[in-house]
Each structure stands twice: as C-alpha cells, then as structure tokens.
Amino acid sequence: MEHAILGGLQGLTNGFLNLDWRTLVMLFLGCVLLWLGIKKGCEPLLLVPIGFGCILVNVPLSEVMGEEGFLRTIYNMGVANELFPLLIFIGIGAMTDFGPLLANPSTFLLGAAGQFGIFFTLAFALALGFPQLDAVAIGIIGACDGPTAIYVTAKYAPHLLGAVSVAAYSYMSLVPVIQPPIMKLLTTDRERKIIMPSMTGTVSKTTKLLFPLVITVIGGVIAPQGLPLLGTIMLGNLMRESGVVGRLTKASENEIANVVTLFLGLAIGGTMAGEAFLRAQTLIILCLGLFAICLDTVCGVCFGKLMKIFTGGKINPLIGAAGISAFPMSARVVQREGQRYNKKSYLLMHAMGANAGGQVGSVIAAAVMLSVLNGMGII
Amino acid sequence: MDNFTFGVTMMVCGMGGTILTLWVLSLIMSLLGKAFPEKKEEK
C-alpha cells in the first residue's frame, strides 16, 4: 500500500525531476514568441501557435512529438510531406491581386532582384561551413516568404525547420523596421523625391485569367521542381480572377488557410525541442536570415537605381525595396518612406506591382533553385 | 562537389535563372496585355 502511494507520488514529481536548463530556456522562448504575437502583433497567426507548440514540446516528459503524439501526427500529416505550405499557397494566390504587376510588367524584374539575397546568403552559409542542403534552407529565408521557406526546409533540411521558420516569420514582421534605414542609405535625397506618374494602364480580365496559366506553364517548364509551389499559388489566383468559384476562393483564403496555419504553426513549434534548437547554429541561422532580408532590400533598391537610369529618371528607386515577398507590408513601407521625403509622391501602386512581382519572384527563385540542385544531382 | 563550385553554380544559375525567367514572363505578360486590352464594357 505504502509502496503504491509513494510510486503514485513519484509519478507526479517526475516532471520536476526532469527539468533542466534547456527546458527552462525553451519554455521562456515559447513565451517570448507568444508575447511577440499577442502583445507586439508580429505575425500573430503564426507566432502564437508556434510559441504554444514550442511550450508543449518542451514540457518535461512531453510526448506530443513522440511516435503517437498529436503534434507528430500533425507534422507527418502536412509538414513532412510539404502539404501545408502548398495549401497556404492556394490561399495566398486567392488573396493576391496581381493587377498592379500586370499593369506594369517591368516590375517583375524588381521582384527578381529582391530575391538575390537568397543566393548571396546561401554562399555565405557555405563559407561558414554549413552543409550544402542546410545552406540552401538558410538561404531561402531570403525569399521573405514563410510557406516557401517551410516547403524547401521541410524537404531538404528538416532539422532546421524550427530555426528557419522562426527567422522567416519574425523578420517578415520586422520589414518596416529593417527596410527604411537601408533605403535611406542607398538613395540620394533627389532620388527619394522622384514623383512617379500615376498608373493609368488597366488590365483586361482575359489577361488576368491568362496570367496564372502562363506562369504555371512557362515557370513549370523552366523549373519543374518548383511546380507544386507555382501551381498552387496560381490555382488560387485563377479561382479568384475567374469569379465563378467564389465558394472555393473564400474557403481557400479563409477556412483552409486558417486551419492549415494553425496546424502548421503547432507542428513547427513541435520541432523546437531544446536539445535540437539550443545550438550555436540556431543563432547563426537567425543572423543569416536577417542578413538575407537586408541583402534582398539592398539588391532591390540597387536594381531600382539601375531602372531609374535606363528609364531616364522616371523610376523612384525606393520601389525596388518592395521587390520582396512580404506582401503588402513592403509596399506600404515604400509608400510611407516616399511620402516622408516628398508629400506629393504616391508610390503605393507602383510598389504594389513590385511587391506582387516579389511574391511571384520568391516562388520562381525557389523553383529555379530546386531545379538547379536537381540538375547538379544534389537532390 | 566542393562547396566553392556549388556556391558559384547556385549564384550564377540561381540568380541568372530567376531574372531570366521573370524577364521572359514580363515580356509574355506585356504581349498579352497588348493582345487583350481592356474592353469598354469591362471599364
């Protein structure tokens, strides 16, 4: 009898006996992510479930990521097989208006320049001694696109999923803080004051309907490894523009995206177990992620300057900063900065075009990267 | 493959491939925009 009672009491204290410094640090980190999401409003839809998942997996003796654990089930159901990022992409496609991009297709190029940070960061990660596929996963933080980063990392460096996802989503929410100093540093006062004429060109419904098909087919032929990414975002956009499947469009941008976001966040949080996350390399990955997003902005603004020269001064180089995938946050930053230096300057629609170009650009960059890796026989 | 070759290949093919693909797409979309201008009734 006494023995049974003592055994029972021991069962209640086992958790305390298994507390170690890693557990405490990770529980604290989970709370920090929750604080960032709830109090600071940084990507709350992702950071709240990620933070809670992080807490769940780090409670001592937690079995949520064990063989039969519910987080493991969610992870296997949609992260390990890359399904969740693709479902989110359908929602993103359904939510995004590519009209400003189609009205001025040259802004596609700004979307390309805004992805160069991916490749510079990849090279830098290699120089720091990361294995090749790990460097690919780290570089993809520069896509500034959570689902793309998760898709590539889950496929080729799943052990880095927690660090890469946290970096991608945290820095995306910090775009309004990261970009303005770089924009100011790289442009002259005169350049920042350039007024771009308002966009008069409109886009026909036929062009809007052909856009997702062209991107899917041409992009898919050039970079077939990225077809799932391209195909899902463009399917969402086709549904939106067709206007005949309103229920599916609404479900994609609301119910499906919401449920998948919850599952994705929890599963990513579940990968943040102390022994896997608390390493020096996590800190390096967070630094490299910041480096990647800064470089994206640098390349975007520099390309904007180049376009300004080629167009005889008609382009305000600030819109180059919007060539990243943080949509529409980056476009708003450009509009705000443009107005700060010239009250008569309205860059929003031009920046929205570049930002939509960045959205397509990030997916194309990932697709190109995967196809080049495939061509080299790495994957 | 050594890291140097890998890094240079990824940078050249990756950046080149991305900008080339998006340039081709921008050309096609420009042509489509001209081929299918907005109709009066759409306005």
Side-chain angles (χ1 to χ4, degrees):
Chain A
M1 177 78 170
E2 271 177 22
H3 188 71
I5 291 174
L6 281 175
L9 286 174
Q10 195 187 347
L12 293 176
T13 54
N14 271 348
F16 292 100
L17 296 174
N18 281 282
L19 272 174
D20 64 5
W21 70 272
R22 281 197 190 92
T23 310
L24 294 173
V25 171
M26 289 310 292
L27 289 175
F28 175 72
L29 183 62
C31 292
V32 169
L33 292 176
L34 288 176
W35 175 76
L36 282 173
I38 296 168
K39 275 283 179 194
K40 295 288 170 186
C42 299
E43 297 286 333
L45 291 177
L46 253 300
L47 288 192
V48 169
I50 289 179
F52 207 81
C54 173
I55 290 173
L56 283 176
V57 80
N58 283 292
V59 169
L61 304 180
S62 160
E63 291 186 354
V64 292
M65 274 302 265
E67 195 97 335
E68 308 270 308
F70 87 101
L71 287 189
R72 173 64 65 190
T73 307
I74 295 174
Y75 182 88
N76 290 339
M77 203 167 69
V79 179
N81 56 17
E82 304 105 36
L83 177 68
F84 287 165
L86 298 179
L87 290 176
I88 288 190
F89 259 137
I90 299 180
I92 291 175
M95 286 179 225
T96 309
D97 176 15
F98 288 103
L101 172 68
L102 297 176
N104 186 8
S106 63
T107 48
F108 264 110
L109 297 176
L110 291 171
Q115 313 308 319
F116 286 177
I118 297 175
F119 302 99
F120 286 117
T121 308
L122 185 155
F124 199 53
L126 281 175
L128 289 177
F130 281 93
Q132 292 173 352
L133 287 179
D134 287 11
V136 167
I138 294 166
I140 206 71
I141 299 173
C144 246
D145 186 340
T148 304
I150 293 167
Y151 179 86
V152 173
T153 310
K155 206 166 181 156
Y156 302 112
H159 55 286
L160 299 183
L161 192 58
V164 168
S165 308
V166 168
Y169 281 108
S170 309
Y171 295 140
M172 263 169 65
S173 65
L174 289 175
V175 158
V177 181
I178 295 171
Q179 288 201 314
I182 300 172
M183 290 156 76
K184 189 177 178 187
L185 192 72
L186 294 175
T187 51
T188 62
D189 196 47
R190 201 172 160 186
E191 285 174 333
R192 290 192 289 271
K193 285 181 176 165
I194 292 175
I195 295 177
M196 290 180 72
S198 60
M199 283 168 78
T200 48
T202 46
V203 184
S204 68
K205 189 170 166 89
T206 314
T207 310
K208 283 187 172 179
L209 278 172
L210 287 171
F211 169 71
L213 296 173
V214 168
I215 299 281
T216 306
V217 175
I218 304 287
V221 169
I222 295 173
Q225 300 299 315
L227 191 57
L229 293 169
L230 281 170
T232 44
I233 194 169
M234 289 303 142
L235 167 66
N237 191 247
L238 181 66
M239 292 196 303
R240 172 197 166 96
E241 297 302 342
S242 71
V244 294
V245 283
R247 281 165 53 193
L248 296 185
T249 310
K250 273 190 175 173
S252 304
E253 61 186 11
N254 295 308
E255 291 85 357
I256 296 175
N258 290 342
V259 171
V260 172
T261 301
L262 172 65
F263 285 170
L264 188 64
L266 276 172
I268 289 168
T271 64
M272 294 169 66
E275 60 271 23
F277 196 83
L278 286 179
R279 292 179 181 172
Q281 76 166 22
T282 304
L283 202 61
I284 299 172
I285 291 170
L286 293 176
C287 293
L288 286 173
L290 179 63
F291 178 70
I293 291 175
C294 290
L295 272 180
D296 284 341
T297 310
V298 169
C299 294
V301 174
C302 289
F303 204 85
K305 285 168 88 90
L306 210 61
M307 283 179 80
K308 183 204 129 202
I309 295 167
F310 281 112
T311 56
K314 287 179 187 162
I315 299 267
N316 185 323
L318 289 181
I319 68 165
I324 62 171
S325 184
F327 186 89
M329 196 189 294
S330 190
R332 288 190 190 135
V333 171
V334 170
Q335 161 69 8
R336 196 186 63 203
E337 290 302 302
Q339 285 239 308
R340 178 181 291 179
Y341 298 103
N342 187 348
K343 293 273 180 251
K344 291 177 186 165
S345 175
Y346 291 92
L347 299 174
L348 187 64
M349 289 316 285
H350 301 282
M352 286 291 259
N355 215 177
Q359 189 88 291
V360 179
S362 68
V363 178
I364 292 280
V368 165
M369 184 188 242
L370 295 180
S371 294
V372 171
L373 286 171
N374 188 49
M376 286 193 288
I378 306 278
I379 57 173
Chain B
M1 185 183 294
D2 67 282
N3 279 354
F4 182 76
T5 312
F6 176 74
V8 171
T9 309
M10 285 305 292
M11 282 183 71
V12 172
C13 296
M15 290 200 285
T18 303
I19 203 153
L20 202 66
T21 307
L22 285 166
W23 178 67
V24 168
L25 291 173
S26 77
L27 280 184
I28 294 173
M29 291 321 299
S30 297
L31 290 174
L32 284 175
K34 281 175 188 153
F36 302 103
E38 195 180 32
K39 291 174 192 162
K40 272 186 181 173
E41 53 267 36
E42 280 185 55
K43 281 182 183 173

